[in-house]
Amino acid sequence: LLPEPDDEKVEQAAALLAGARRPLIYAGGGAVSSGAAPFVLKLAERLKAPVLTSIMGKGAIPEDHPLSLGALWSAGNAVDAYLQQADVVVVIGSKLGAQATQMFQMVLPENLIRIDIDPREMHLNAQPSTPLLGDAALVSERLVAVLSDAVELAGVDQTSEVVALRKSAEEAAWFAERRDYIDALRRAIPRDGILSADMTMMSYVACGLYPVFEPRTFFFPSGFGTLGFAVPAAIGAKVGRPDAGVVAVVGDGGFQYTMGDLGCAVQERMGLPIVIFNDSTYSAVKHAQKEERGGRYLAVDLVNPDYVKLADAYGIPGVRANSPEELEREIALAFERDLPTIIDVPIAPWV
């Protein structure tokens, strides 16, 4: 049984938001898993306040909405500067952990409303001035109801600022020069389709630059950072939503962790595009060795199989896509099949 929100605390939080000049909403994975997304959107539109998300919170608001800042926060960037101008921040369903805050570099204001279902998480990593214990959907819904049209708001409409800021943040995002591949994925995958992303460099770029429009349509192994996550997670998504367009995005190294699961997808005749961004390297580790170990590389360059031939061994389609345009086309063709398709995408080295 979900705990009921404390009405007095909700009233306090609503009064704080009503009096704020520049409120901001930060939505985490709990906002998605609880089904709070409709109330996050209503709250943002009522306050004319931007919504920033963690990676796990992607989909809590459609990322083509003019109040969406996506998951574009990074320490020291333009979104970070904007966050520090907020006079009230409401955090919905986020533990504000090390990965989301880049080792706790995120600066939050004194007026911090925090919605969390776990009392043990409530005061970890950030101290709320107004803690709201309860299910994110129930609390957000109650907050929206209190902030009805009859309540006078002191806040300014931040919409035009948010639109300009998002564009600037995207242009300056990490490895934004690889965005053509991310855009190709977004064009190929239906609006309600699912991207299952592995721990690989192109997925890290996608965390910021791949727009997500609906909850539960972007999977990423946040936290433990599990290599090989994407393919089995995509298989699970396809079982759960057999009519959805599901795509697995994985690196050449990560794919080898769970490529045996390909047999399951073949046996169950799943129309599943498996996109392998291939540079024959554990690129994230190599990048870290360059930055932190003076370029002393160890055990990061790989000997890979020919993935197109691997597909042939399974009796399924295997293709090589040498450009974003070819990738978009091959995903579209793969969706028409009732078998998985391996799409091997040779890319330039990251390091």
Side-chain angles (χ1 to χ4, degrees), residues 30-340:
V32 173
S33 62
S34 69
F39 308 113
V40 173
L41 181 59
K42 288 179 180 179
L43 185 62
E45 291 179 338
R46 177 71 184 112
L47 298 170
K48 297 293 190 290
V51 179
L52 181 62
T53 79
S54 67
I55 295 168
M56 300 304 286
K58 285 173 76 70
I61 182 175
E63 289 189 44
D64 55 354
H65 191 284
L67 286 169
S68 170
L69 283 174
L72 286 164
W73 179 87
S74 183
N77 77 347
V79 174
D80 185 33
Y82 194 83
L83 171 62
Q84 293 185 43
Q85 296 172 24
D87 51 358
V88 178
V89 169
V90 52
V91 175
I92 304 175
S94 173
K95 64 183 178 182
L96 298 171
Q99 185 179 54
T101 62
Q102 293 180 2
M103 296 305 296
F104 312 108
Q105 294 183 77
M106 183 179 283
V107 178
L108 296 165
E110 284 186 23
N111 290 324
L112 178 64
I113 301 164
R114 192 168 186 184
I115 301 170
D116 206 289
I117 198 169
D118 188 346
R120 295 167 298 182
E121 293 282 356
M122 184 64 78
H123 297 278
L124 289 178
N125 304 331
Q127 287 294 329
S129 60
T130 310
L132 296 177
L133 184 66
D135 175 72
L138 291 177
V139 177
S140 301
E141 183 179 21
R142 196 75 58 87
L143 202 51
V144 169
V146 176
L147 287 166
S148 64
D149 293 341
V151 176
E152 189 173 334
L153 302 178
V156 298
D157 186 343
Q158 300 178 68
T159 307
S160 60
E161 294 177 83
V162 170
V163 171
L165 178 61
R166 181 181 179 110
K167 185 174 186 296
S168 172
E170 286 178 343
E171 289 171 352
W174 189 73
F175 278 108
E177 63 270 21
R178 303 268 180 145
R179 183 172 185 168
D180 285 354
Y181 281 106
I182 306 304
D183 290 343
L185 288 166
R186 183 65 277 183
R187 289 192 302 269
I189 298 172
R191 187 177 180 88
D192 66 345
I194 294 168
L195 175 61
S196 179
D198 213 80
M199 294 298 288
T200 187
M201 294 286 274
M202 201 66 78
S203 294
Y204 308 155
V205 179
C207 286
L209 294 178
Y210 177 87
V212 176
F213 305 128
E214 296 191 13
R216 302 177 184 271
T217 59
F218 185 82
F219 299 163
F220 182 77
S222 185
F224 286 112
T226 317
L227 277 164
F229 165 88
V231 172
I235 290 171
K238 195 66 178 172
V239 170
R241 289 187 56 201
D243 296 329
V246 181
V247 175
V249 168
V250 64
D252 51 282
F255 179 64
Q256 293 189 65
Y257 275 65
T258 53
M259 67 183 182
D261 284 358
L262 185 59
C264 173
V266 175
Q267 184 170 335
E268 300 301 322
R269 301 195 70 87
M270 293 180 171
L272 177 64
I274 298 170
V275 178
I276 304 171
F277 285 106
N278 190 347
D279 62 352
S280 299
T281 310
Y282 285 130
S283 295
V285 181
K286 191 169 188 176
H287 186 268
Q289 290 177 354
K290 176 187 176 184
E291 298 295 318
E292 300 168 21
R293 296 291 182 268
R296 298 192 300 277
Y297 301 124
L298 176 66
V300 288
D301 296 309
L302 303 175
V303 176
N304 285 334
D306 183 324
Y307 291 117
V308 174
K309 289 183 178 178
L310 178 68
D312 185 57
Y314 273 100
I316 61 173
V319 296
R320 195 156 280 122
N322 292 297
S323 69
E325 294 75 21
E326 289 184 16
L327 172 61
E328 181 182 356
R329 184 178 68 247
E330 293 298 344
I331 291 174
L333 291 171
F335 280 147
E336 296 175 3
R337 304 182 181 117
D338 66 347
L339 284 169

